[in-house]
Amino acid sequence: MSSLNTFGAILTYAIALESRLRDYYTAAGNPERAAAAESRCTKLERVRRQNVVEITLEPIEGLDEANYALNLEDTSPEGQRAAAQIAARFYQDCAPKINAKEAQRALERCGRDHQEQV
Amino acid sequence: MVQKLKNYIGGRWVESSAANYTPVHNPATCELLAECPDSPRVDVDKAVKAASAAYEEWRSTPLLNRAQYMFQLKTALEERFEELVAMVVKENGKTRDEARGEVRRGIESVDFATSVSSLMRGYKTEDISTGIDETAERQPLGVFAAITPFNFPLMVPLWFLPTAITCGNTFVLKPSPQTPISMQLLFEILDDLDLPEGVVNLVQGGKDSALAVMEHPDVIGVSFVGSTPVAKIVYETCAKHGKRVQAQGGAKNYIAVMPDANLEASVANIMGSAFGCAGQRCLAGSVVVAVGDAYEPLKRELLKRASGLRVGYGLAENTQMGTVISDQSRQRIEGMIQEGVNEGATPVLDGRGIKVEGYENGSFVGPTILDGVTPEMKVARDEIFGPVLSVMHVPDFESMVQVINQSRYGNAASIFTSSGKYAREFKYRIRAGNIGINVGVAAATASFPFGGQKESFFGDLHGQGQDAIEFYTDRKILIERWL
């Protein structure tokens, strides 16, 4: 069974992901990316607050957080690229499954932000 | 030490003079969250007196200033959004997403109240007679009250309080004793806004407090949401005491599925309607009427989807359906399922006796689908208020209309179809106050009145939208001539 099976589960996971990436980039000495992750956190919290009325109870299938595990030990440039790649993939996978347009757009935008770092 | 809830009267938190307190449990964990006072008449009287005393000063506060409080309220609700969500989950048992949806809808009502300045305008006609002009002005009326239910402990009070006070009235709220804590949080927020003392008042309690509100001579009008038997009592009692009243009762909402409907999208939507908030919504789809060839594929798809729902504690993000409100409610719902079976319905999915790991004593009822339901069965006629979906099969559109219009309730009805003709006919002929076309939960947004007909509503002006402005104000007619 998918562990990311509701709107809230996906958005909460995304917020936690960005929060971990903020700390990771800080540790990697990359304050610019840390700030970008922090900004995405704030944006995703707003999306979770504001867009939930648009969703239905329709179960979301096929998304499991185990598929998006990050290696946060490796702070090398390659490690950072790999982390961005996984984050980008997460957003690419989840955005089409959300049936609230504004939320979908925000997730796609987060995915693009990460993709640009790859 | 368990928290003993207090009343909020005249701008202060005050202890109730109640002799009895009702325990408030988390319906999933059974944790004792608080004790709610059964506030007696004397407490209600204090609250109404405080609201009466505050009225003249408040009504003369410029309207735009009154509206400013609503902008501040919105900001505060956004800031404490997740805290409010968590409390709704804990005391009601719904899922986090459902609670988020509830808080969001509540905030939309606050948004609506910020626009009162453009909605409570009067009108004027010059020269209605020689040299005489006539004007209708809208004025607030005094102290209004609301008696609100457990199923949307935060949203329903926000349907009423923000618009009522922005119109210039003062307010007394009596929430459900089963879910009183969300209102304590709301009143903490209201307290921080520094509204004049007495503009908003909270009295916690049950039936006696409600009766005291309805019978109090200084209460001008009452808004109520609850079951039909109680809505009738509220309507009659308020009318007897000369009050305005809007009393929203129970429901038995039908969902028609035509053979030409987009089955996959329809079923996804029906799932939300039938099982969202564990069916404890006055807009919950309760009976699905499959027309003609829609029956078999619809039943198959419903069963497949409903079987996969993850039932659990609402605080876990991946829970898709939470508890019902109490163990007593669970027993009542399970009893109604049994009555359906006794009358000949087939439980193709039976949620009775479900156990959730870690929450073995929680008030869970799993998603239930009863097939072969006919209009005369109790499960087709009476409100269940739980996650039970009855499936009926009728041969054609006409039979479907007949079945739905037989219901004594008229809160909502939906049709799933790709035919504009059927959609139009449905909207035109079905006797229900909220109609969904390919929408399973036909919930009016804050700027539209929340409909309701037959035994689902007693009164004439509904909650929300322009009806709310009409309910919370009166027109004063001015005829003027200058000699």
Side-chain angles (χ1 to χ4, degrees), chain A residues 34-112:
Chain A
E38 174 64 25
S39 157
R40 283 191 293 272
C41 256
T42 308
K43 176 164 68 175
L44 291 164
E45 279 171 2
R46 178 178 53 75
V47 167
R48 187 177 62 180
R49 259 197 340 265
Q50 292 187 347
N51 293 286
V52 73
V53 289
E54 298 300 324
I55 64 146
T56 63
L57 189 69
E58 186 173 353
I60 293 171
E61 288 168 358
L63 281 178
D64 205 307
E65 55 191 274
N67 296 329
Y68 309 103
L70 299 171
N71 176 7
L72 299 177
E73 301 300 314
D74 182 359
T75 54
S76 69
E78 293 74 29
Q80 291 183 42
R81 261 199 301 279
Q85 203 156 25
I86 290 168
R89 184 161 51 79
F90 163 70
Y91 287 111
Q92 281 154 15
D93 292 348
C94 70
K97 294 181 185 285
I98 300 284
N99 60 359
K101 276 267 184 280
E102 288 87 350
Q104 201 175 63
R105 205 163 39 236
L107 293 168
E108 284 167 357
R109 177 72 187 269
C110 289
R112 277 205 305 278

Side-chain angles (χ1 to χ4, degrees), chain B residues 34 47-48 52 54 130 156 162 183 187 189 191 281 310 380 406:
Chain B
V48 176
S52 295
T130 305
V156 173
M183 279 306 96
F187 273 74
I189 290 169
D191 185 52
R281 275 200 288 223
R310 185 182 296 208
Q406 272 174 15

Side-chain angles (χ1 to χ4, degrees), chain A residues 1-9 12 45-46 48-53 55-61, chain B residues 78 81-82 97-98 100-101 104-105 108 268-269 271-272 275-276 305 308-310 317-321:
Chain A
M1 195 181 271
S2 323
S3 63
L4 303 174
N5 59 354
T6 64
F7 175 86
T12 301
E45 279 171 2
R46 178 178 53 75
R48 187 177 62 180
R49 259 197 340 265
Q50 292 187 347
N51 293 286
V52 73
V53 289
I55 64 146
T56 63
L57 189 69
E58 186 173 353
I60 293 171
E61 288 168 358
Chain B
E78 297 283 7
F81 191 92
E82 287 295 328
D97 271 357
E98 288 162 352
R100 286 186 183 115
R104 175 53 45 200
R105 287 280 190 171
E108 282 175 8
N269 213 252
M271 293 284 293
F275 303 120
R305 298 256 191 157
L309 279 179
R310 185 182 296 208
E317 289 280 12
N318 59 5
T319 292
Q320 293 169 319
M321 199 176 94

Side-chain angles (χ1 to χ4, degrees), chain B residues 3 5-14 47-48 50-51 70 73 76-77 80 83-84 87 91 144-148 153-162 164-165 170-176 179-204:
Chain B
Q3 183 191 15
L5 299 178
K6 290 183 175 177
N7 293 327
Y8 184 82
I9 296 174
R12 286 175 185 79
W13 290 102
V14 292
V48 176
M70 295 301 108
L73 175 58
L77 289 169
R80 295 181 68 173
E83 182 190 353
L84 292 163
M87 184 46 69
E91 68 175 355
F144 275 87
I147 301 166
T148 56
L154 192 95
M155 180 187 78
V156 173
L158 289 174
W159 282 357
F160 305 123
L161 182 149
I165 67 169
T170 53
F171 208 80
V172 176
L173 180 72
K174 205 258 357 128
S176 164
T179 54
I181 312 173
S182 299
M183 279 306 96
Q184 174 163 302
L185 290 183
L186 177 70
F187 273 74
E188 282 173 18
I189 290 169
L190 288 166
D191 185 52
D192 280 345
L193 301 185
D194 289 330
L195 283 158
E197 291 168 3
V199 171
V200 291
N201 303 275
L202 172 69
V203 179
Q204 301 280 14

Side-chain angles (χ1 to χ4, degrees), chain A residues 9-25:
Chain A
I10 291 174
L11 266 293
T12 301
Y13 180 76
I15 292 163
L17 177 88
E18 294 297 347
S19 170
R20 278 182 290 145
L21 284 171
R22 177 198 56 210
D23 297 345
Y24 169 73
Y25 287 128

Side-chain angles (χ1 to χ4, degrees), chain B residues 209-470:
Chain B
S209 324
L211 270 175
V213 165
M214 290 185 266
E215 291 172 355
H216 200 291
D218 295 336
V219 172
I220 294 290
V222 174
S223 304
F224 171 83
V225 177
S227 69
T228 288
V230 180
K232 273 185 188 167
I233 293 168
V234 170
Y235 184 66
E236 287 164 6
T237 310
C238 288
K240 188 174 158 192
H241 289 83
K243 300 185 195 319
R244 291 181 167 208
V245 58
Q246 46 184 197
Q248 195 175 312
K252 191 77 192 171
N253 304 314
Y254 283 72
I255 297 174
V257 180
M258 299 300 292
D260 62 8
N262 174 332
L263 190 68
E264 198 177 334
S266 303
V267 170
N269 213 252
I270 293 168
M271 293 284 293
S273 178
F275 303 120
C277 298
Q280 298 174 118
R281 275 200 288 223
C282 59
L283 290 175
S286 182
V287 181
V288 64
V289 186
V291 178
D293 294 343
Y295 174 65
E296 284 297 342
L298 175 67
K299 192 173 72 171
R300 250 194 329 269
E301 192 67 16
L302 280 172
L303 186 57
K304 189 181 97 188
R305 298 256 191 157
S307 310
L309 279 179
R310 185 182 296 208
V311 180
Y313 185 25
L315 279 184
E317 289 280 12
N318 59 5
T319 292
Q320 293 169 319
M321 199 176 94
T323 65
V324 296
I325 188 65
S326 64
D327 197 53
Q328 191 184 10
S329 182
R330 179 190 64 75
Q331 289 176 35
R332 183 188 55 76
I333 294 162
E334 293 191 347
M336 286 195 76
I337 296 170
Q338 187 57 46
E339 283 190 62
V341 174
N342 294 347
E343 286 187 295
T346 307
V348 290
L349 183 63
D350 192 342
R352 289 176 290 179
I354 187 174
K355 289 287 172 204
V356 174
E357 198 183 331
Y359 307 98
E360 284 76 8
N361 295 319
S363 303
F364 295 97
V365 181
T368 298
I369 298 178
L370 295 175
D371 188 26
V373 172
T374 54
E376 62 281 2
M377 288 182 185
K378 194 171 162 62
V379 285
R381 290 183 285 113
D382 293 352
E383 183 170 41
I384 300 175
F385 224 56
V388 182
L389 182 63
S390 298
V391 181
M392 267 188 209
H393 186 201
V394 296
D396 51 33
F397 183 86
E398 286 302 322
S399 320
M400 175 267 285
V401 170
Q402 202 181 350
V403 162
I404 296 178
N405 279 341
Q406 272 174 15
S407 173
R408 70 175 190 272
Y409 295 105
N411 212 37
S414 297
I415 186 170
F416 287 85
T417 181
S418 55
S419 156
K421 176 175 178 289
Y422 284 138
R424 200 263 178 193
E425 278 289 291
F426 187 87
K427 181 260 312 180
Y428 189 79
R429 293 172 58 187
I430 293 297
R431 293 196 289 274
N434 304 286
I435 297 289
I437 308 290
N438 295 315
V439 171
V441 183
T445 51
S447 57
F448 284 83
F450 191 104
Q453 297 180 2
K454 300 194 273 185
E455 291 198 22
S456 291
F457 182 74
F458 302 91
D460 41 21
L461 292 168
H462 297 270
Q464 298 196 141
Q466 188 62 34
D467 272 27
I469 306 290
E470 305 264 344

